[in-house]
Structure formats: structure tokens, C-alpha cells
Amino acid sequence: MSAFFRFLGLAIIAACALFAAMRAVGNDYVFYAGYTVLEYVVLACAWNILGGYVGYVNFGVAAFLALGAYTGVALGRIAPVPLPVMMLAGGVVAGLVGLGTGYLTLRLRGIFFAIATLALAVVLQTLITNWDFVGGSAGVYAIRPKHVPIFGSYIQYMVFLMLTLAVVVVAVSRAIETSGLGLGFVAIRDDEVAAEATGVPTLRLKLIATALSGAFMGMAGAPLPYYLTFLEPSSAFNLTYAVNSIAMPLIGGTTMWFGPVLGALLLGTAQQVITVTISSEVNLLIVGLLLIGFVVLAPQGLIGLLGLTGKRRSA
Amino acid sequence: MSELPLFHAQGLTKRFGGFVALDSVDFEVGAGERVGLIGPNGSGKSTLVGCASGSLRNDGGAVWFKDRRIDRLLPHQRVRAGLVRSFQLPRPFRGLTVAENLRVPLVFAGRQGRAQDAIDDALEFVGLAARREAMPQDLTQVDLRKLDLARATVAKPQLLFVDEAMAGLSHSEVDEIIALMMRMNERGVAIVMIEHIMRAVTAFSQRLVVLVAGRKIADGDPEQVLANVEVQRAYLGE
Ligand SMILES: Nc1ncnc2c1ncn2[C@@H]1O[C@H](COP(=O)(O)OP(=O)(O)O)[C@@H](O)[C@H]1O
Ligand SMILES: [Mg+2]
């Protein structure tokens, strides 16, 4: 326990240092770019809870992100709700959908589960596109509050919230790794039938993973309308979210929290630079090539190359 | 036996599509008993283990364990009740060290405290103490078998199904595994040994059950069962 709080303390200090450094630059662009990178830190870690630890590949990242975003939009249409509350609500909705999806699909293994999550994204996108209350296919404007106390600008406030969420996700990931829960996850990933035969309640553990993973993605999605200021289904359900959220852990390494964090920081930052210097179209190409390279040449990712995987190695 | 048996399957039936893999089989095991289960390849031995342990769902019949009907329980619930199996092919958790492999039942089978001692004891017991930090990929075939048995031991079973743990082992390695299973039995674990190596079966079994094409054709004293004409025909005809 004390090791956990020491870790949490370090993570908070690192987050504060990062925020201070971004403020020191004194340019809002840094915050716009930083927000996206941090969003990917959260998405990559969240994906990794199910995909990396338990070994179930979720292609429907955008669906959970969009659930969070549209939960926020729907709430905002009913009452002026503060953003942190929207994030919590988005987390609850996406977590519940994760739980339901898990319950319906987790008897499917391997590729069939992955296809089912892709189907979930398609179904949800169709539903949202036809739901006029949240803008439907025409999209919806999200008006940022003019006045933001303490932070001064709304983008800084959003970065602060995303940074907080990133710290929470990383801390939860690490807590999983060091707990019996994480051991059970690894057992399922390595051999689900043997795990059952060793006493692991596989269905319950997989549901915990889908719910947690979905909830964090939903929380990350809630500020999206305010970040984009205009949200439409095609941007909320953009396949890029899934591609990046899968590529970042795989490139960074899936066996511990540091893998997705490293993957998201490096790849996310590189993408921001490339978008400015070359073009955003090149990004997916680069991600694709890196992904192939790592899967073939370094299946343990960067943390494997750095020798950081610890005792629990991937299968 | 006057009391209820520890384990009791009645009319156990399992179909794969139209194929009947187990055809109304009755099978029981007493507390602390050593039973040999033999039969030609494809006769349904592993299917029986699957139905008993919950990795397969029986289509007919019923399974009782310690006075409790268990054939709708999930596999991990049966493990917690004290019914454990090993697999025909070794199935270690390949991403975990030998010691970590044993931590899985320690944490999840929930049959004893989380004491590190249980892992050390089990490793000592099967003779893998020196390999505790090794990865499964670096173990020999016989050590993988011992790891499977150690993992089962940590779950503190009252009944253990061991599905062909000796296939591919040398003469002396077979002796080692037999001795190990005898010692597990001495600790009070009832064991069902499924095996093709007759030397092992006869050395181990107090009772012998023979399956042929999904049906039980003999059940009783090993010598008498092996002298049985039908049993001989089943084996010679293979
Ligand atoms: N999952 C399965 N699907 C279809 N057929 C199966 C399955 N498992 C076993 N069988 C068939 O059931 C029969 C019994 O198999 P098994 O119990 O593995 O035999 P044994 O262990 O005695 O060699 C075999 O004919 C096998 O092909
Ligand atoms: Mg078999």
C-alpha cells in the first residue's frame, strides 16, 4: 500500500511538473497539442487494461470515447453541468456499456471478440447519427464557458482535467499489475482454459476489465465536444482513435503501464509535430509502419527493448 | 463403500454434434482413492475429465461432488470446491515464472491463506525448488508436468484428475511422476490417473475403469479388469 501511495505521489509530482512546464511556454498551442497527447495516454492505458493485460483486442475505442462525449452533450442540453461531472457521467455510461458488451461478447474469443467491438462502434454511430437531441448527423456546437476561474483559459482547464485523469488511469493500471487481479488477467491472457482450471473466475475478471477500460475511455471522451467546439458523429467515431489506442500500447509494450504511456507520449507528440510540419494524412501511414515493425521485430515493445518488462513477460 | 462416494457421475452423456463421445457413463471415486482410467484413443477419457471439471457441459446425466450437484457449476467453482484437473498437454502460464504460476491458484482457488510458504512447499514437494524463477519455456517436458502437478497441489484438491501426464517421458521420468502422484495420494488426495502406459496404471491404480467408444465396459479390481476378454479385445483391436 505504501508503495502505491509513493507511486501516486511521484505521478502527481510528474503531472504538476508537466503542467508547469506547459504554462511556462506561455503559448496556448502547447495546450491544444498537449491535450491530444494526454487524451491518448488515457486511451492507450485504458485499452491496455483489457487488450494488454487480459489479451482481448478492442477495436471499438471510438465507441466508448463517443459515448463519453455524447453523454456530456446530452447532459449539457438538460442542465449546465460542470465538465468534471460530465466526465464522471461519461465514465459511468461507457463503463456500463463496456460491462454489457463484455457480458454479451466475452464468450467470443480472439478475432471474434475484436469483430464484435468493431460492430458495436458501427451500431452506436448509427444510433447517434439518428438521435437529433444530441445533434444527429448535423452535429452539435459546444460553447465553452467564457470565464474560467484559476486557470484563466478553458483549454488549460481541459488539459488539467485530462492530466488528472491520466494520473488516475496510470495509478489504477499499476495497482492492477501488482495485485491478484493483474495475476488473474495474465493467467487469462496466457491460457484461459488453464486459468479456469486453476480457480480464476474468468468471466468476472473479464467483466471488470471491460468495464474499467470502457469507463476510462468514456471519461476521456467527455471533454471532446469542448475541445473540438463542434462535434459530429464522424469525428467522434473516427477510426483513428482505435488505430492509435491500439498502436500506442503495442509499440510501447503491453505488459506494464509504462508501455502505453511511453507509446502515447512518443507517438502522440510525433503526430502533433508531423501534423504541423508535414500533414495529418501522413500520421496514419507512419503509425501503420511502426506498428508492423514492432509487431514483427519487437513484440514486447519499447519497454521490452529497454529491458523494463520485469518478471512477468508477455506470452 | 457404505458412505456416499467423494465423486459420483451418473448417466454422464456428452455429444459433439451428432457424435456421442460419452454414452451414459457411471463413474465414481471414493475419498483418497487411486483410480486408473484407460481406453483407446478417442474413447472419451478426456471428455469425461472435461465434464467432471466443467470445461465441458454434459448433455445428460448428473455429477455430484461431496454431496453437491456440480454439473452446472463453472470450472473455477469446482476448483474451489476441491475438484482439480491437469491437462493432456502441459498448459503453464507462459508469461509467468514457475513460482508465479503457483501464485495463481494460491490467490484464486481460495483454499488456504496467501502464504508464500504454500508455493515453496509445493515447489519442494514436486522437486522444482531450483527452478522457481525459470520461465516455462525453459523447462523440460518432465518439469512442465511437475509444474502442472504443483499448480494443482496449491489448489488443495480432494480429487485430482491427471490426464496423461506421462506421455513422452522416459522410463525413469515416468517413475518419478508415479512416485509424485503416490505421495500426493498419501496426503489424502483422491486421484484419477488417465494413462496409456500400462506399467504406470497397474503400479498406481487400486481400481481400474475402462472406456471404449464412450461406454464404460469394465470397472473393478485392476487384475480382473485386465483379464477381462472385452478389455483385451478393445486393446488388441486398436
Ligand atoms: N471439442 C470437441 N469437438 C468435437 N469432437 C470432440 C471434441 N473433443 C473430443 N471430441 C471427440 O470425442 C471423442 C473422444 O475424445 P477424447 O475424450 O479426447 O478421447 P480420449 O481422451 O479418450 O483419447 C473423440 O472422437 C474426439 O474426436
Ligand atoms: Mg485424451
Side-chain angles (χ1 to χ4, degrees), chain B residues 16 19 21 40-47:
Chain B
F16 294 111
F19 177 78
N41 276 327
S43 55
K45 305 182 296 296
S46 295
T47 304

Side-chain angles (χ1 to χ4, degrees), chain B residues 118-196:
Chain B
I119 293 177
D120 295 332
D121 287 350
L123 288 174
E124 198 66 46
F125 183 68
V126 302
L128 278 180
R131 308 290 283 147
R132 57 175 302 136
E133 298 306 321
M135 298 303 289
Q137 73 209 34
D138 302 322
L139 295 187
T140 60
Q141 190 65 23
V142 67
D143 283 350
L144 283 172
R145 295 299 185 179
K146 290 178 184 171
L147 175 56
D148 270 8
L149 291 175
R151 206 167 60 184
T153 308
V154 175
K156 282 267 183 261
Q158 279 159 281
L159 173 59
L160 176 63
F161 285 85
V162 181
D163 196 354
E164 295 196 36
M166 301 177 208
L169 299 188
S170 75
H171 196 280
S172 64
E173 288 168 343
V174 167
D175 288 341
E176 263 186 89
I177 298 292
I178 297 174
L180 182 53
M181 288 171 64
M182 289 299 265
R183 279 190 289 128
M184 292 175 84
N185 177 248
E186 278 162 22
R187 289 182 166 193
V189 184
I191 299 182
V192 177
M193 175 198 269
I194 293 150
E195 201 44 73
H196 279 300

Side-chain angles (χ1 to χ4, degrees), chain A:
Chain A
M1 251 310 150
S2 75
F4 173 77
F5 286 113
R6 198 176 320 129
F7 180 84
L8 187 63
L10 287 175
I12 291 171
I13 291 169
C16 290
L18 183 62
F19 195 74
M22 289 168 88
R23 277 191 79 122
V25 177
N27 175 345
D28 260 3
Y29 173 74
V30 175
F31 283 93
Y32 277 98
Y35 176 88
T36 304
V37 175
L38 288 169
E39 179 189 49
Y40 274 124
V41 169
V42 174
L43 289 178
C45 285
W47 182 89
N48 202 49
I49 290 173
L50 181 64
Y53 299 162
V54 195
Y56 275 76
V57 172
N58 173 8
F59 278 124
V61 176
F64 293 98
L65 184 85
L67 270 173
Y70 278 102
T71 301
V73 170
L75 272 183
R77 295 225 41 189
I78 298 166
V81 178
L83 193 46
V85 176
M86 287 183 177
M87 290 171 78
L88 288 177
V92 169
V93 171
L96 287 176
V97 170
L99 198 66
T101 312
Y103 199 76
L104 291 175
T105 59
L106 276 173
R107 288 165 216 281
L108 307 174
R109 294 190 183 166
I111 189 69
F112 298 104
F113 176 78
I115 291 170
T117 56
L118 200 54
L120 172 75
V122 174
V123 170
L124 272 179
Q125 182 169 0
T126 309
L127 288 176
I128 296 286
T129 305
N130 289 291
W131 192 22
D132 290 335
F133 184 66
V134 291
S137 59
V140 60
Y141 284 95
I143 315 294
R144 295 179 186 174
K146 286 242 159 44
H147 179 68
V148 190
I150 306 169
F151 294 95
S153 87
Y154 203 71
I155 183 67
Q156 291 196 21
Y157 176 52
M158 286 199 290
V159 166
F160 172 79
L161 290 177
M162 198 54 84
L163 197 53
T164 306
L165 182 57
V167 169
V168 172
V169 179
V170 165
V172 168
S173 297
R174 186 183 174 281
I176 289 172
E177 286 165 28
T178 53
S179 69
L181 185 64
L183 186 69
F185 284 173
V186 178
I188 294 173
R189 182 187 69 202
D190 279 354
D191 189 331
E192 193 160 339
V193 174
E196 286 178 337
T198 317
V200 179
T202 52
L203 184 62
R204 192 190 316 154
L205 260 55
K206 289 189 292 183
L207 289 179
I208 292 173
T210 46
L212 268 180
S213 181
F216 284 132
M217 289 175 184
M219 291 179 84
L224 187 65
Y226 295 96
Y227 180 75
L228 299 173
T229 64
F230 176 69
L231 187 72
E232 53 184 342
S234 61
S235 55
F237 285 92
N238 200 314
L239 192 63
T240 312
Y241 288 119
V243 173
N244 276 331
S245 305
I246 296 170
M248 287 162 177
L250 288 179
I251 288 170
T254 57
T255 50
M256 66 179 287
W257 61 272
F258 192 54
V261 170
L262 194 61
L265 288 179
L266 291 180
L267 222 60
T269 308
Q271 287 181 350
Q272 292 302 312
V273 173
I274 291 166
T275 303
V276 175
T277 54
I278 311 173
S279 95
S280 59
E281 259 84 83
V282 186
N283 278 331
L284 272 186
L285 177 69
I286 292 175
V287 170
L289 291 177
L290 275 175
L291 193 54
I292 294 169
F294 270 91
V295 167
V296 174
L297 300 173
Q300 311 229 338
L302 287 169
I303 57 170
L305 294 179
L306 297 172
L308 289 174
T309 45
K311 261 189 289 176
R312 279 187 205 165
R313 277 172 249 169
S314 79

